[in-house]
Amino acid sequence: MAKWMAEVAVVGGGPAGLTAALALGRAGVETALVSRRPARDHRTTALLLGSVTALDALGVWTRCQAQAAPLRAMRIVDDTARLLRAPEIKFEAGEIGLDAFGYNIENRHLLAALDAGVEKIPAISRIEDEASAVVIGGDDVTIGLKSGDELSARLVVGADGRRSLCRAAAGIQSDSRSYPQTALTFNLLHARPNENISTEFHTPAGPFTLVPLPGRRSSLVYVTDPATARSVADMDDAALAAELERRAHSILGKLTIEAGRGVFPLAVEMARRFAAERVALVGEAAHVLPPIGAQGLNLGLRDAATIAEVVVDSRRAGADIGGADLLSRYDALRRPDVTARTLAVDLLNRTLLSDFLPLQGARQFGFSLLRCLGPLRRAVMREGIAPAASQPRLMRGEAL
C-alpha cells in the first residue's frame, strides 16, 4: 500500500477541480490531484470574461481558444404567448466596451487544455484513482483511495460534485430543491451563421437557449417539463432536428443533430457552509444551479481561484493552510457571490414558470426597464460578467 503526502489534496477532476489544482501548483503549493482522466463530455460551457482571464493567467486559454466562439450579443425573447409578455431585449458587449462577454466552448476541449496544463506543473502529483473514504484528523485529512492507497494533506479541496464525499466527511449539510423541469443538451450544425449571438427563448416550461460554437454550429440547452423532455429525447435525429428548428423559429435554418445528447433533471442546491474541518468545497460540491444565465461553472471557477488565493496568502504568512481562519475566510468570500447568483437564477426561473399575473407583470416591467434604460442595462451587463463583490486575483489577470 502506497502512502502519499501533500500540502493540499484536490478531489475531483472537473473544470473547477483542475483549475484549483493548477492555480495551487503554479504558485508552488505541493498539490495532489485525485482524479481519473476526464471522460468525453459533449456539453458546452459559456465562459464569462473573468473566467477567460483566469484561464489565460494560468496558461490554459491559448491551448483551447481556437475551439471557442465569442459571445458578442445575447438576445432574450419572450416565447410564452401570455397576456403580459416581456419585450425582446438584446445585450451587446460593444455597449460596455468589450469585444465579447465571454466564449462558448465544448467541455472536452476545456478539460483537455486544463489537463495538459496540470501535467506541466512539477508541484502537482496526479493520482489516477478515486476517493473511497475521507477521515478528518486534528492536523490533517487522510483520503482512502479505491486502490487501497492513502493520501494525507493539511487541506482537502472537495471538487467531487453534488454527491460530494468530502462534503459529507466534513459534516456539511446542504439545502436543495428540485424543479418540475428537465434539461436536454445538444450540439447542432445549422444552415445559417449564428453571428456570435446567443438567443434565449423563454417558454412557459423554461428557456430554450442557443449558444454559438465555432463555424455554423451552436449548442442548445432546452429546458422543459419532464414529459416533453422524455418525448423529445426519444425522437430520432431527423424528427428531433425538425422539432428543434420549429421551436427555434428557424432563426438558424435547417438543423443537423451532432452525436451526444444529454438529459438531466433540474435542481438548485447550496451547502450551508463552503468550508469546515479542513475541507473547502468548490463547484457542484458547494452549489448546483440550473443552466440559466451561464452562472454555474463560472461560479465554480471563482471558487477555485478564491481557494487558491487564500491558501497561497496563508502559506506565505506562515499560517495553517487548513485551519479555521482560512476556512472562515474562504466561506465569507464566496457566500455573497454564490447566494446572490443562486437567488437571481432561481427568481428568473420561477417568474418564467409562474402563471400568477402580477408576477408576470413584474417580469414584463423589469425587462422593459432594461430595454429602455441604458445605464441600468450596462450596469447589469457589467455585474453579470464580472461581479463587483467577488473578483479573485486570477479573474483580474494577476498572478498569485
Side-chain angles (χ1 to χ4, degrees):
M1 180 178 73
K3 291 191 176 182
W4 305 71
M5 295 185 67
E7 291 180 272
V8 178
V10 178
V11 179
L18 289 169
T19 300
L22 188 54
L24 289 162
R26 283 175 63 96
V29 179
E30 291 294 332
T31 303
L33 173 63
V34 180
S35 168
R36 303 287 188 190
R37 295 290 170 176
R40 189 174 180 85
D41 189 343
H42 293 280
R43 294 173 300 171
T44 68
T45 293
L47 295 167
L48 299 177
L49 206 54
S51 296
V52 173
T53 300
L55 293 173
D56 193 35
L58 293 172
V60 171
W61 187 238
T62 54
R63 294 190 176 97
C64 59
Q65 183 176 3
Q67 285 81 41
L71 305 177
R72 296 199 165 99
M74 302 171 67
R75 293 171 61 212
I76 298 178
V77 181
D78 190 321
D79 199 22
T80 62
R82 287 171 171 162
L83 177 63
L84 296 178
R85 297 178 63 200
E88 180 177 328
I89 187 168
K90 188 175 184 180
F91 301 99
E92 299 186 75
E95 189 177 351
I96 54 173
L98 299 175
D99 180 60
F101 292 118
Y103 291 79
N104 193 38
I105 186 169
E106 292 174 75
N107 287 359
R108 62 192 177 101
H109 297 308
L110 175 61
L111 288 167
L114 285 164
D115 205 48
V118 163
E119 291 300 312
K120 294 183 178 297
I121 306 301
I124 303 175
S125 300
R126 182 70 177 261
I127 302 174
E128 293 191 48
D129 205 339
E130 295 177 38
S132 59
V134 177
V135 180
I136 297 170
D139 297 321
D140 62 9
V141 180
T142 299
I143 300 171
L145 305 174
K146 287 193 174 179
S147 63
D149 295 342
E150 287 187 347
L151 165 67
S152 64
R154 293 166 66 191
L155 173 71
V156 171
V157 176
D160 49 344
R162 61 184 67 187
R163 295 180 179 85
S164 173
L165 180 66
C166 297
R167 186 179 67 211
I172 298 174
Q173 309 242 326
S174 65
D175 298 306
S176 64
R177 182 175 62 256
S178 60
Y179 292 105
Q181 295 167 294
T182 298
L184 301 102
T185 60
F186 310 94
N187 290 340
L188 310 169
L189 290 164
H190 40 76
R192 296 174 185 161
N194 54 46
E195 298 180 348
N196 299 120
I197 299 172
S198 173
T199 302
E200 187 168 298
F201 294 99
H202 284 186
T203 79
F208 179 101
T209 307
L210 293 156
V211 189
L213 285 170
R216 293 194 176 187
R217 301 175 62 232
S218 293
S219 61
L220 169 65
V221 179
Y222 175 15
V223 177
T224 187
D225 61 88
T228 301
R230 285 191 295 270
S231 174
V232 170
D234 289 341
M235 292 179 177
D236 61 35
D237 283 356
L240 177 61
E243 175 65 11
L244 297 182
E245 182 182 344
R246 181 184 70 81
R247 291 182 180 271
H249 300 277
S250 296
I251 62 169
L252 296 175
K254 182 178 175 58
L255 303 179
T256 302
I257 310 298
E258 294 187 353
R261 305 183 185 187
V263 182
F264 51 96
L266 293 198
V268 62
E269 183 172 6
M270 186 164 64
R272 293 181 184 173
R273 290 181 292 171
F274 295 151
E277 304 290 341
R278 295 192 175 272
V279 172
L281 304 177
V282 302
E284 290 197 341
H287 44 75
V288 176
L289 273 72
I292 297 171
Q295 295 301 318
L297 182 58
N298 289 282
L299 277 176
L301 296 185
R302 289 203 289 278
D303 296 340
T306 301
I307 191 60
E309 183 174 313
V310 297
V311 166
V312 169
D313 288 349
S314 294
R315 186 171 180 262
R316 286 173 181 158
D320 182 355
I321 63 170
D325 288 346
L326 179 142
L327 301 176
S328 295
R329 183 182 172 206
Y330 173 69
D331 183 81
L333 286 170
R334 293 304 302 137
R335 187 157 298 279
D337 184 25
V338 174
T339 301
R341 303 286 153 159
T342 301
L343 290 173
V345 169
D346 183 53
L347 179 62
L348 184 63
N349 195 36
R350 284 176 174 274
T351 59
L352 184 57
L353 295 177
S354 176
D355 289 324
F356 186 49
L357 205 58
L359 198 56
Q360 293 177 19
R363 179 187 179 86
Q364 179 192 47
F365 180 67
F367 275 60
S368 296
L369 287 179
L370 285 172
R371 180 171 178 169
C372 298
L373 297 180
L376 176 62
R377 184 173 60 253
R378 290 187 285 275
V380 168
M381 286 191 281
R382 291 189 184 98
E383 180 64 19
I385 62 169
S390 181
Q391 280 294 288
R393 289 199 292 269
L394 280 174
M395 264 58 186
R396 302 195 299 266
E398 301 171 12
L400 297 181

